[in-house]
Structure formats: C-alpha cells, structure tokens
Amino acid sequence: MRKHGLKKVRARRSAEVWEGTVRAHPVVLAQPQTMMNASGNAAAELRRAFNVQDPTNILVVYDELDLPLGVVRMRDKGSSGGHNGMKSVMERLGTQEIARLRIGIGRPSPGEDPIDYVLTTFRPEEKPIVERAIQYAADAVESWVELGVAETMNRFNRISQRLPEDAERAT
C-alpha cells in the first residue's frame, strides 16, 4: 500500500478499503473485517460498491495450510480446495472463476488444532521465510494487475520461493 501510495477510503461495513493505482492501473485493495468463513460477504459488498462486473478482475489473497511455509502459488480459478474463506467468496459471488493467490503457512503438528495453528504468530525462525513470501506475493499481485493471471502464473508458479537456495537449485 505504501509503495504505491494507496489511500485508505471510508471503511465499508465489512472491509477496510484502499484505492489508488498500481503500474498505472486503478486498483481497490480490501481487507475483510468479517470472520474468515464469511469473507464472501465482504467480497459481494465490494463487488457491488465498485461495480465490478467481470469476476476475472478480482484477486483473492489468502493463507493456505496445504502449501509449505513460504510457498506462494497463483491459480486462475477452481474449487475452494477446502478453504472456507474461499468457499464463502465463491458462494457469494456465484462463480469459481476467481483468481487467487495462496500463501503457504504449512500444516500444524499432529494433534495440534488447525484453528489454533492458523491464529498463532510465526516463530522467530519462520519470520524471514514469511517476510520473503510476503514480498514475493506482493510482486505477484503487481504482476497480476499489469499482466493478468496467465502470465503471472507462468512467472511465479515455476519454482518454489520458500528459500533462496530452492531457487538456485531450480535454475
């Protein structure tokens, strides 16, 4: 938000909202203020408020238990993959044709409650991985805005961005 000078606009009932431009394209960035399982309420309200007709102009960014910590993956459409927040968005928008950027947080240890795991802060040794993933995800969002989902998938899904040595081995 700071990099592109996005300005916070009045909060909607279900989300905090910023507007501005990214690489000369107008954008709206929203952070739902609902429970994760009701994220679709915010998505539907924002779609109406900003008159977004084409669902391919929507990108949902969320954490993903089924990806290792720090791995970032873009998808153009599909099922919710069991993610209740994405399921809510798809139900409220009435389509699976929604791009999504998933940021891996890994799985909890055996016996650990997934809800507690998702709500726990990252351990100190995980923070550098998370910081790299956030930067990589931000770069992917910029790419999506400028180049679209197909090109972004080609550029950002090729190799794991979890650790720099992974990228070095893949080249």
Side-chain angles (χ1 to χ4, degrees), residues 94-171:
T95 183
Q96 291 184 350
E97 305 286 321
I98 303 165
R100 71 278 324 255
L101 185 66
R102 303 173 302 143
I103 304 171
I105 60 171
R107 283 249 162 227
S109 303
E112 187 177 0
D113 181 3
I115 294 170
D116 291 339
Y117 177 77
V118 168
L119 297 175
T120 301
T121 58
F122 293 104
R123 297 187 313 265
E125 65 271 16
E126 294 172 325
K127 289 187 179 183
I129 296 169
V130 171
E131 288 170 8
R132 283 193 300 272
I134 290 169
Q135 182 56 58
Y136 194 69
D139 293 345
V141 170
E142 288 177 347
S143 174
W144 175 81
V145 167
E146 184 175 38
L147 304 172
V149 70
E151 182 62 27
T152 301
M153 286 169 47
N154 287 336
R155 291 179 180 212
F156 287 82
N157 288 356
R158 277 192 270 161
I159 58 174
S160 169
Q161 293 301 308
R162 184 170 174 215
L163 299 171
E165 55 269 19
D166 290 340
E168 290 169 12
R169 281 193 293 259
T171 56

Side-chain angles (χ1 to χ4, degrees), residues 1-8 17-18 21 29-31:
M1 291 180 294
R2 288 183 297 267
K3 177 179 177 181
H4 296 285
L6 300 182
K7 303 288 186 218
K8 190 170 186 177
V17 179
W18 295 261
T21 59
L29 177 68
Q31 180 179 6

Side-chain angles (χ1 to χ4, degrees), residues 12 44-52:
R12 301 281 171 188
E45 176 187 348
L46 291 163
R47 184 177 185 185
R48 279 189 308 276
F50 290 95
N51 197 28
V52 178

Side-chain angles (χ1 to χ4, degrees), residues 9 23 60-61 68 76 80 86 104 112 125 129 135 146 155:
V9 295
R23 297 187 179 177
V60 177
V61 180
D76 59 345
S80 67
M86 193 65 208
E112 187 177 0
E125 65 271 16
I129 296 169
Q135 182 56 58
E146 184 175 38
R155 291 179 180 212

